[in-house]
Amino acid sequence: MGGSSPDLITFGESMALFMPAEDHRTLERSPALQQGFGGAESNVAIGAARLGCSVGWFGRLGDDPFGAIITKTLRGEGVDVSRSQRVAGERTGLMFREQVAGRVAVHYYRQHSAASRMQPDDLDAAYIQGSKLLHVTGITTALSASCRESVLAAVQIARDAGVKVCFDPNLRLKLWSLEEARSVLLPLSEQADYFLPGWDELKQLYDTEDEERILAQVKSLRATTIIKGYGEQTLIAEQGEVTAVPFYPAETVVDTVGAGDGFCAGLLAGVLRGMSTEEAVRLASINGSLAVQSRGDWEALPEWRAVEQRLLGHAWVER
């Protein structure tokens, strides 16, 4: 860790998570709930820390039991939370997740949460300036006008300091309209060094199904663009060239929530390890495939040893 800053810094909202304790029960019919937490940025932070990166996450949390669980768990996972805040009189957001007719349904209670009140003044500029990589998502920009300003300010701080910026649009149309999202997310994609959209997200953001038009748009960006979910492969658009990397298959799929965050954590870990973009995408694909093999937003994210075994093609041997 250089100075007082980790190599990778991210920030956003983490929420307490509740879901039926028994698989395939709906919330309405479950007598008991399992408690945890989740948030795109904190999931990425945990995933990258497990892969051996020095990572910091910050955000505003309520001074309540849920804020305490999130802070303590992240710290226990090796994530620096020294810039996060637990704010008296404010509350941590909640989400409830269930399987309904084979599909994941999430119910959010995040309006007026502590996280939604983040301001640019909450940013520690020196902390961001001392890092190597800043990761932000479109979710944070959708929470409130002040959160949006905070993301834009953080990106500007990073760019002025020569810190690379990774941006995952994480389009969430429950939070805002597509038109509003486009007005914020597309300019941010032009500021990023690494842009991580899904193929379906690009079709919505660029308002077209035309593959050539979409690829022309991403090739015009300064960013290295990694497109998830293009059939059974990931596309890399870099320096005007497009490369396809096949998915790493999952042995079993238990819970797909957090797969994208696992992919992102793997990619950033590969970048910080000095891998080529294609090597980092292969690492990301393995990480994402392992993340879907257990329940929870981040619990199944693997340690470096498990990923390295697969990256090198070695057999996994239980001792």
Side-chain angles (χ1 to χ4, degrees):
M1 192 181 293
S4 60
S5 299
D7 290 339
L8 169 63
I9 289 173
T10 188
F11 67 95
E13 179 168 39
S14 278
M15 293 176 285
L17 166 65
F18 296 89
M19 52 188 177
E22 296 179 45
D23 287 347
H24 309 301
R25 290 265 192 147
T26 62
L27 287 165
E28 185 180 349
R29 294 180 172 83
S30 179
L33 298 179
Q34 175 182 329
Q35 181 179 333
F37 73 91
E41 300 85 5
S42 55
N43 295 345
V44 169
I46 291 171
R50 288 184 179 178
L51 296 176
C53 301
S54 68
V55 187
W57 173 90
F58 64 88
R60 295 175 95 258
L61 298 161
D63 190 15
D64 52 29
F66 307 122
I69 289 166
I70 292 168
T71 304
K72 290 176 181 178
T73 305
L74 285 166
R75 188 183 294 121
E77 289 286 341
V79 176
D80 176 43
V81 290
S82 62
R83 276 24 176 220
S84 63
Q85 304 173 58
R86 290 175 55 203
V87 187
E90 297 192 23
R91 63 177 183 267
T92 304
L94 307 178
M95 59 178 165
F96 295 81
R97 200 165 82 222
E98 61 183 340
Q99 288 266 357
V100 178
R103 297 177 69 90
V104 174
V106 185
H107 311 274
Y108 295 102
Y109 297 83
R110 71 198 314 175
Q111 194 171 18
H112 307 306
S113 67
S116 71
R117 300 176 190 271
M118 175 175 276
Q119 305 279 345
D121 287 349
D122 293 320
L123 302 172
D124 181 339
Y127 188 65
I128 295 169
Q129 290 161 350
S131 67
K132 294 179 180 176
L133 194 52
L134 172 70
H135 173 64
V136 296
T137 80
I139 296 172
T140 312
T141 63
L143 296 179
S144 67
S146 64
C147 282
R148 192 171 312 164
E149 291 165 10
S150 300
V151 171
L152 296 176
V155 169
Q156 193 61 54
I157 290 166
R159 292 202 63 190
D160 288 347
V163 174
K164 299 292 187 184
V165 175
C166 175
F167 173 53
D168 187 334
N170 258 317
L171 184 60
R172 297 287 188 271
L173 295 179
K174 281 187 176 182
L175 293 173
W176 54 0
S177 70
L178 182 55
E179 291 71 24
E180 192 177 9
R182 283 186 186 127
S183 72
V184 175
L185 303 184
L186 291 176
L188 268 171
S189 73
E190 296 170 1
Q191 298 288 308
D193 297 282
Y194 297 95
F195 179 40
L196 272 66
W199 182 249
D200 288 339
E201 286 177 318
L202 287 179
K203 289 193 284 188
Q204 290 182 294
L205 290 173
Y206 292 136
D207 193 22
T208 181
E209 297 275 335
D210 188 305
E211 183 173 317
E212 288 188 13
R213 283 181 60 193
I214 292 170
L215 293 178
Q217 290 276 11
V218 297
K219 284 196 284 188
S220 72
L221 297 173
R222 63 187 291 274
T224 293
T225 302
I226 293 96
I227 304 170
K228 300 164 286 185
Y230 180 79
E232 295 297 313
Q233 52 196 359
T234 301
L235 297 184
I236 301 168
E238 190 171 36
Q239 297 179 337
E241 299 294 325
V242 176
T243 307
V245 179
F247 279 172
Y248 187 88
E251 293 161 14
T252 57
V253 177
V254 175
D255 185 352
T256 58
V257 174
D261 299 330
F263 182 98
C264 181
L267 181 87
L268 297 179
V271 169
L272 289 171
R273 286 175 175 270
M275 293 180 173
S276 69
T277 306
E278 191 167 337
E279 289 172 327
V281 167
R282 293 187 191 283
L283 169 57
S285 183
I286 292 169
N287 212 54
S289 77
L290 293 174
V292 303
Q293 299 189 42
S294 184
R295 286 183 96 203
D297 277 37
W298 52 267
E299 287 80 356
L301 291 166
E303 305 285 343
W304 172 249
R305 179 171 169 266
V307 174
E308 186 182 34
Q309 292 274 352
R310 289 158 175 81
L311 200 59
L312 298 175
H314 294 168
W316 179 260
V317 180
E318 294 288 349
R319 298 292 183 191

